[in-house]
Amino acid sequence: MPLLTTCNSSKSLAEISTDRLENSAMHFSIAPMLDWTDKHCRYFYRTMTQNSWLYSEMVTTGAIIYGDNLPRFLGFNPTEDPVVLQLGGSNAQELAHCAKLGQEWGYSEINLNVGCPSDRVQNNMIGACLMQHSQILAEAVDAMKQSVDIPVTVKCRIGVDDQNEQEELFTLVDKLNQVGVDGLVIHARKAWLQGLSPKDNRDVPPLNYDLVHAVKHQFATLPIAINGGIKSHTQAISHLESIPAGNFDTPVDGVMLGRIIYEQPFLLNEVDERYYGCDKSTKTRKEVVNEMLPYIEQHLDNGGKLIQITRHMLGLFHGLPGGRMWRRYLSQNAFKPEASTQTVVDALCMVENEIQRMAEQKRQFENDKLVSNES
């Protein structure tokens, strides 16, 4: 497979063929997920991958401008870098202002959300409904580009409702390309603004990966990343390759994974090797937990709650003996007033004991089988 970059290098292969600023559409990235990808989640992810691009939750321009709490909406730990600030809005001047603030706060990129199907954001001309207003969207991106020196990207769907996505998506991309958008992340499903809930919009509309690859074929120098329904590294890598026997004649530049990472976060431990050519990671899940303990301690000392961090760590031992114990113990205890780093250590001990018990059980079974065969 073609590497997205060489390990520890900041120049991607996509950058060689385009004058766009390096951005998340050229990389492996983790999707912005409302109520999930907060600063604690991102810090946790960074313990397992140094090269992935991380995203903030979507922040509306109204929250930034009128919320009077910039540290809450824009604050992040420098160790999370590179981090993309995803904005929600449609007013060009407000988006430009917020993009400038994002740059001042140290974000590596500004991304405009044009994919969220929620009724709550539709009423304020935010999210997927903007795909029906390509000129407004292009003007907003143009204003943001004029206000910052960092990349400006867009995350969109392939269409909304009854749009002819074959026509409308190409028209939209053309307008964004003309105003100099640095990259696109395309979720390969339509968004149905009427009749489907936000949850259903993540699964019900059929995937059309071929259309995303067709966009890349048409706009060869525009970095394109693909998103939606990707459940493994093998599947993700197939979009970055040209597979003669497959449907993807033109590979895209980057790939974005979302829910599968949240459910199975240790998949991130393979990213730097598989996508960037780094040495194979030898880090264990236990080491990840131990790396998180000082961060957790500091958070608690500052008045935070354990559950605010551990809720993102519940899937760390997914598929292993003791994985359900880890999830259950933290879910039942991390919210308690007395919860501390010891709570995490206790959960880890339960996992280790279960792994040891299962290993001993397996050895006993193999010994019994051997004795039975000999007799």
Side-chain angles (χ1 to χ4, degrees):
M1 61 162 286
L3 297 177
L4 294 174
T5 72
T6 56
C7 191
N8 300 320
S9 169
S10 62
K11 183 176 286 293
S12 69
L13 295 179
E15 190 181 11
I16 296 173
S17 62
T18 177
D19 59 357
R20 262 71 173 194
L21 298 172
E22 184 179 8
N23 64 80
S24 63
M26 304 171 177
H27 285 268
F28 179 97
S29 61
I30 302 169
M33 292 175 279
L34 198 59
D35 297 326
W36 290 4
T37 50
D38 61 19
K39 61 182 180 180
H40 305 309
C41 181
R42 297 192 303 266
Y43 187 93
F44 170 52
Y45 287 168
R46 191 56 80 201
T47 65
M48 293 170 279
T49 171
Q50 297 303 304
N51 290 285
S52 301
W53 282 53
L54 308 181
Y55 269 70
S56 75
E57 304 169 83
M58 182 186 72
V59 186
T60 65
T61 54
I64 294 173
I65 296 171
Y66 305 110
D68 195 29
N69 193 345
L70 290 183
R72 174 189 171 191
F73 296 115
L74 298 180
F76 69 95
N77 192 305
T79 60
E80 300 167 35
D81 190 64
V83 185
V84 181
L85 172 64
Q86 187 180 69
L87 295 175
S90 56
N91 181 285
Q93 288 69 40
E94 291 180 353
L95 284 166
H97 173 68
C98 292
K100 186 175 181 180
L101 286 174
Q103 177 173 291
E104 292 171 355
W105 276 74
Y107 284 88
S108 299
E109 173 184 326
I110 308 298
N111 178 268
L112 180 57
N113 183 315
V114 193
C116 180
S118 169
D119 292 339
R120 183 174 57 182
V121 297
Q122 285 181 53
N123 296 333
N124 295 304
M125 276 284 286
I126 299 172
C129 61
L130 274 175
M131 294 195 68
Q132 298 171 315
H133 305 279
S134 58
Q135 187 58 39
I136 292 175
L137 176 57
E139 290 172 359
V141 170
D142 187 37
M144 294 164 72
K145 286 285 297 179
Q146 300 303 318
S147 69
V148 297
D149 300 317
I150 58 177
V152 174
T153 60
V154 168
K155 185 174 188 295
C156 65
R157 296 285 186 123
I158 59 173
V160 296
D161 294 340
D162 293 320
Q163 277 187 338
N164 182 330
E165 62 265 33
Q166 297 284 346
E167 298 177 3
E168 298 292 342
L169 180 60
F170 280 83
T171 298
L172 178 70
V173 174
D174 184 52
K175 287 188 177 181
L176 293 174
N177 193 41
Q178 289 181 35
V179 297
V181 70
D182 289 292
L184 295 178
V185 180
I186 304 178
H187 185 142
R189 284 188 175 95
K190 267 190 172 184
W192 285 94
L193 306 182
Q194 306 295 328
L196 288 181
S197 68
K199 180 178 183 298
D200 289 338
N201 261 291
R202 294 194 294 264
D203 297 299
V204 174
L207 288 159
N208 188 347
Y209 293 135
D210 287 345
L211 182 57
V212 180
H213 287 268
V215 171
K216 177 60 190 177
H217 181 80
Q218 181 70 25
F219 299 91
T221 61
L222 177 62
I224 303 287
I226 197 164
N227 170 236
I230 301 172
K231 299 185 182 300
S232 70
H233 288 309
T234 299
Q235 185 183 2
I237 288 169
S238 73
H239 292 285
L240 302 172
E241 301 177 314
S242 182
I243 305 176
N247 296 320
F248 312 139
D249 294 328
T250 304
V252 292
D253 305 290
V255 63
M256 174 182 279
L257 272 62
R259 280 176 292 162
I260 191 65
I261 295 299
Y262 198 84
E263 294 165 0
Q264 303 179 41
F266 203 64
L267 287 172
L268 292 176
N269 206 45
E270 303 175 36
V271 167
D272 292 351
E273 174 199 1
R274 298 190 67 166
Y275 297 84
Y276 295 92
C278 301
D279 292 338
K280 184 175 182 178
S281 175
T282 59
K283 183 175 289 187
T284 65
R285 290 170 172 85
K286 180 179 180 179
E287 289 172 333
V288 171
V289 174
N290 286 333
E291 282 188 38
M292 289 298 297
L293 293 178
Y295 179 82
I296 293 171
E297 189 70 50
Q298 183 180 43
H299 177 66
L300 296 176
D301 289 344
N302 291 333
K305 299 177 181 179
L306 181 63
I307 190 68
Q308 293 170 323
I309 298 176
T310 57
R311 70 189 185 97
H312 303 302
M313 300 171 62
L314 297 180
L316 182 59
F317 292 92
H318 176 90
L320 291 185
R324 291 182 179 179
M325 291 181 176
W326 164 268
R327 175 183 290 273
R328 183 170 60 250
Y329 187 81
L330 290 179
S331 298
Q332 292 175 347
N333 292 280
F335 70 91
K336 295 178 179 178
E338 68 273 17
S340 67
T341 53
Q342 187 60 47
T343 306
V344 181
V345 172
D346 290 344
L348 179 60
C349 288
M350 294 177 67
V351 174
E352 292 183 309
N353 290 338
E354 181 64 9
I355 290 174
Q356 182 178 357
R357 186 187 72 82
M358 292 295 291
E360 291 175 353
Q361 187 179 76
K362 181 179 180 182
R363 283 195 297 270
Q364 185 62 49
F365 174 79
E366 290 174 347
N367 288 337
D368 293 345
K369 184 177 180 180
L370 180 61
V371 171
S372 176
N373 289 338
E374 290 177 348
S375 62

